[in-house]
Amino acid sequence: MIVPDISQDAVAVADHYDALDPVYRRVWGDHVHHGLWATGRETPGEAVEALADTVGDRLRLVRGQACVDIGCGYGATARRLAAARRVSVTGFTLSAEQARYAAAHPVPDVEIHVRDWLVNGLADASVDAAWAIESSEHMVDKPRFFAEAHRVLTPGGRLVVCAWLAETGARGWKVRHLLEPICREGRLPSMGTREEYEAMATAAGFTVTGYEDVSHRVARTWWICAGRLLKALLVDGGTRRVALGARHRGAVLSIPRMILAYRTGAMRYGIFTLQKAGD
């Protein structure tokens, strides 16, 4: 497990997303997650929706199911899957700004709450399916992240986790100059490997039914973000003040680090499909 040399907790994560809210929306849009390219000809918008649709497919969502989006961001994936799959979705975010944006774009059968997943308050076996797209990285207690998902899922329920992962066996300059700074700048308490995620999921009671490394299909996301951010810095004074201020400059520096981390294999992007045992 890669752990930065400064602690990151839920308060730090919430502050990060609240303070950088206008930058995130300008650079990332409604979906604060990677795009997934199949042919390479998809637009960035089509690619981010493809990742959301992939999650829905792997969950095998059925009309009428109750779902939870763990770390829902602005609620875009929750809205898309609720509308397309006819399911109800409860989303959790730490960011009041993200929840405020989601509240301004309501759709039927989607509720967004400002709440820490580790103290989510859901009843046992109350959810049919759950997903976490690039949010498990922000969890201080990752074993508890999996344990809570297992607790709230009904027997036979599925969890899909899309995660930034550290290269197995990464060491030396990859850790010092890429992975640890990415954790610090992105407010990640730790970054696990595929093997560590599977071990934590299994310990929580899940069966790992699928895993795919899609690093090569998502990596171009960061080139797109770099271009959008550069344009925003050139034309928008508000973006310059927030992004280049001393407090958040590290988040901007993370973009070239992310590009290099994917290029060198120091970081991977994995999609896990997990299932709780049935009755």
Side-chain angles (χ1 to χ4, degrees):
M1 190 81 72
I2 303 298
V3 181
D5 55 11
I6 58 173
S7 63
Q8 308 284 3
D9 58 15
V11 174
V13 173
D15 177 70
H16 174 81
Y17 282 103
D18 284 344
L20 288 172
D21 172 67
V23 177
Y24 270 107
R25 281 193 283 112
R26 185 148 193 169
V27 173
W28 288 88
D30 286 5
H31 289 270
V32 193
H33 61 69
H34 285 65
L36 182 67
W37 279 263
T39 67
R41 295 187 296 273
E42 298 91 341
T43 67
E46 290 169 338
V48 294
E49 290 178 348
L51 182 62
D53 293 341
T54 294
V55 169
D57 291 342
R58 296 189 184 195
L59 288 167
R60 299 180 185 172
L61 293 177
V62 175
R63 182 173 185 160
Q65 286 185 320
C67 305
V68 63
D69 186 340
I70 305 168
C72 64
Y74 296 111
T77 297
R79 291 191 292 273
R80 181 172 181 82
L81 294 183
R85 312 297 172 111
R86 299 295 190 266
V87 296
S88 62
V89 184
T90 300
F92 293 92
T93 177
L94 293 170
S95 168
E97 291 298 326
Q98 289 179 345
R100 188 174 294 114
Y101 181 88
H105 299 79
V107 299
D109 299 318
V110 174
E111 292 186 359
I112 306 298
H113 300 278
V114 182
R115 193 178 303 166
D116 187 342
W117 172 248
L118 301 182
V119 286
N120 58 74
L122 295 175
D124 294 356
S126 60
V127 173
D128 299 302
W131 62 84
I133 303 179
E134 302 173 35
S135 60
S136 63
E137 301 87 334
H138 288 302
M139 303 289 174
V140 173
D141 188 342
K142 287 179 173 55
R144 189 172 169 189
F145 155 75
F146 286 105
E148 280 297 297
H150 189 272
R151 179 184 68 79
V152 306
L153 281 169
T154 56
R158 288 182 163 231
L159 168 67
V160 169
V161 179
C162 300
W164 303 10
L165 302 170
E167 176 188 26
T168 301
R171 57 177 58 88
W173 69 271
K174 287 183 177 180
V175 173
R176 290 193 306 273
H177 300 297
L178 295 176
L179 298 177
E180 287 182 345
I182 286 170
C183 286
R184 285 195 300 271
E185 293 154 2
R187 302 300 186 267
L188 313 182
S190 60
M191 188 188 298
T193 63
R194 171 190 176 179
E195 293 81 4
E196 288 167 336
Y197 264 61
E198 290 183 343
M200 290 184 287
T202 302
F206 284 107
T207 298
V208 181
T209 61
Y211 173 78
E212 186 178 4
D213 184 324
V214 294
S215 304
H216 66 289
R217 294 177 59 193
V218 303
R220 70 169 61 186
T221 297
W222 292 97
W223 288 102
I224 292 166
C225 288
R228 288 176 177 173
L229 180 60
L230 180 59
K231 180 178 179 180
L233 291 174
L234 290 173
V235 303
D236 183 66
T239 298
R240 282 197 299 275
R241 285 191 296 275
V242 174
L244 299 182
R247 187 178 172 210
H248 300 294
R249 197 174 301 138
V252 175
L253 295 176
S254 263
I255 292 180
R257 282 194 219 278
M258 293 293 295
I259 292 171
L260 186 57
Y262 275 121
R263 181 67 61 87
T264 62
M267 210 177 95
R268 315 301 302 169
Y269 192 103
I271 303 177
F272 300 86
T273 305
L274 313 171
Q275 187 161 14
K276 181 175 178 175
D279 289 327

